Amino acid sequence: MNINMSLLNRGLVEVSYKEFYRNIFPVGSFEERGVYERGKYNGIIIELTNDKKADGKLKVLRHTLTDDFDKLDEVVGRDNFCLMSPISYAGKSRKSTYARFLYAIAIDLDGIVSEDNLAVLFKQIESNSFLLENSVYWGLPAPSYFVSSGTGIHLYYVLEKPIPLFRNVVEQLEILKRRLTWQAWTQGASELHDNVQYESLFQGFRMVGTVTKAGNITKAFRYEDAKKYTIEELNRCVPEEYRVKRIVYQSDLTLAEAKNKYPDWYEKRIVRKQPKGSWICNRALYDWWIKKIYSGAEQGHRYWCILALAKSHEKEFKG
């Protein structure tokens, strides 16, 4: 099946690589080239070249994408394998510890081999409810963009406001993304529904405008008006236990105001310089997950059952 033609036949509009990335990263998202701006970071592009190093391995280039998008034009002009995640980073490393803001949630969907598979996907998307057909069939929020990567489709949910990637926030977003991935893969759109591939929140995706494995060009298609999402809107598309509970974007309080408003926090974190606390669960929640496992944990739920039990048990050991 020609995925590009199939997407066009469903009324989607193809957009250029520059329009696609500018919608994800609006003007002002990154630093200006050569200008340090406090609180602003940059994108990172990974380019795998055909040149070999002395050890025989292919040479890998890391490019910093600043607000002018010059590097974007540069790498698209070459026929190399390129990856980028919808995330800004501090410095030139793509390690998760250097990730600063998430601009979109992207899901890799493979196993789309026929028009029937695609029809199921659009049925999920076009529904007004995430739970369909007597609580058996799960829908999907409408992606802002479809990206045809050659052998599969990437679904991009562009965020209305970039989310700071604090550790506790990442844990919640991973749970949400994992559930959305499960809903995309297991309801009939993919022929690989028994082998769901879960990607990290930090996963890099083949760049729009660059070549696919087959030598074609990765293309992006806008769905309707390329809606941008709040986390609250995405939350409504998954069951409650997979929803993001709380995100703090940035405090407007000065340190003096925080000392007055949160004296316990100030004493622990500023005076005593104690590290941030970890996520913990109480005994009641631990017992609840035990019962859920005995009653029959379904595919896609088992991992989080074990995670919750491990975190709860960790608290018991810490006392």
Side-chain angles (χ1 to χ4, degrees):
M1 181 180 67
N2 186 321
I3 293 178
N4 292 335
M5 288 303 300
S6 296
L7 292 174
L8 286 171
N9 290 339
R10 290 185 176 274
L12 275 63
V13 177
E14 183 179 350
V15 299
S16 68
Y17 67 86
K18 189 163 285 187
E19 179 182 343
F20 173 75
Y21 286 112
R22 184 52 80 191
N23 189 259
I24 294 175
F25 304 115
V27 173
S29 297
F30 299 151
E31 293 178 333
E32 291 185 28
R33 180 182 292 274
V35 179
Y36 170 75
E37 298 179 68
R38 183 178 178 83
K40 284 191 177 181
Y41 306 97
N42 299 302
I44 295 180
I45 298 171
I46 302 298
E47 180 181 7
L48 182 63
T49 73
N50 293 316
D51 300 327
K52 291 187 177 180
K53 298 186 293 184
D55 60 5
K57 295 181 179 179
L58 293 177
K59 187 176 181 181
V60 177
L61 303 177
R62 288 174 174 79
H63 305 285
T64 298
L65 182 63
T66 51
D67 213 48
D68 53 27
F69 275 16
D70 282 355
K71 279 294 179 182
L72 194 63
D73 293 328
E74 180 182 323
V75 299
V76 167
R78 296 192 283 262
D79 292 333
N80 290 327
F81 176 82
C82 297
L83 296 173
M84 186 165 67
S85 59
I87 291 174
S88 64
Y89 292 85
K92 297 184 178 181
S93 172
R94 285 187 65 251
K95 290 182 178 179
S96 60
T97 52
Y98 298 106
R100 290 298 177 264
F101 287 93
L102 178 73
Y103 287 79
I105 294 177
I107 294 173
D108 188 2
L109 178 59
D110 289 335
I112 307 291
V113 299
S114 70
E115 288 292 343
D116 289 340
N117 295 132
L118 204 59
V120 171
L121 179 62
F122 275 86
K123 180 182 178 182
Q124 288 180 270
I125 290 167
E126 291 163 0
S127 169
N128 292 323
S129 173
F130 67 88
L131 182 58
L132 313 174
E133 296 181 6
N134 300 319
S135 302
V136 174
Y137 184 79
W138 293 90
L140 275 175
S144 311
Y145 293 96
F146 290 78
V147 172
S148 173
S149 61
T151 58
I153 296 176
H154 301 156
L155 310 178
Y156 276 80
Y157 297 95
V158 181
L159 298 170
E160 199 171 274
K161 184 178 182 180
I163 297 175
L165 292 172
F166 302 120
R167 182 177 174 181
N168 66 316
V169 173
V170 169
E171 290 175 351
Q172 296 178 75
L173 289 171
E174 290 276 20
I175 292 172
L176 173 64
K177 178 180 176 179
R178 187 180 179 86
R179 176 63 193 196
L180 288 172
T181 301
W182 181 87
Q183 289 176 203
W185 280 69
T186 63
Q187 305 304 295
S190 173
E191 293 298 321
L192 303 175
H193 48 78
D194 290 329
N195 187 28
V196 182
Q197 297 175 25
Y198 297 105
E199 305 284 3
S200 162
L201 193 68
F202 306 100
Q203 176 69 32
F205 290 87
R206 192 180 299 274
M207 289 180 58
V208 174
T210 63
V211 294
T212 68
K213 290 179 181 178
N216 301 316
I217 299 298
T218 304
K219 295 181 179 293
F221 300 85
R222 186 178 71 239
Y223 185 82
E224 296 183 349
D225 58 353
K227 174 179 172 57
K228 292 191 175 185
Y229 284 89
T230 63
I231 286 298
E232 291 73 21
E233 288 172 319
L234 291 175
N235 269 346
R236 290 195 288 270
C237 300
V238 300
E240 187 172 357
E241 64 260 39
Y242 301 98
R243 295 174 182 174
V244 174
K245 302 301 185 291
R246 182 170 180 266
I247 290 180
V248 177
Y249 286 88
Q250 185 174 358
S251 175
D252 295 326
L253 295 177
T254 65
L255 199 56
E257 290 170 334
K259 178 181 179 180
N260 181 60
K261 190 168 184 179
Y262 305 108
D264 291 341
W265 171 86
Y266 188 88
E267 176 68 22
K268 291 179 182 178
R269 298 285 288 117
I270 305 301
V271 178
R272 299 180 186 175
K273 300 188 183 301
Q274 294 180 357
K276 294 180 180 179
S278 59
W279 177 60
I280 58 176
C281 303
N282 59 33
R283 181 56 190 246
L285 183 58
Y286 178 87
D287 292 337
W288 184 88
W289 279 104
I290 284 284
K291 290 179 182 178
K292 188 173 182 67
I293 288 178
Y294 279 124
S295 64
E298 299 173 359
Q299 180 182 344
H301 293 178
R302 291 168 294 186
Y303 176 87
W304 300 112
C305 290
I306 295 170
L307 173 64
L309 288 175
K311 286 292 186 180
S312 301
H313 201 51
E314 180 181 311
K315 177 177 182 291
E316 294 294 322
F317 276 112
K318 289 179 178 178

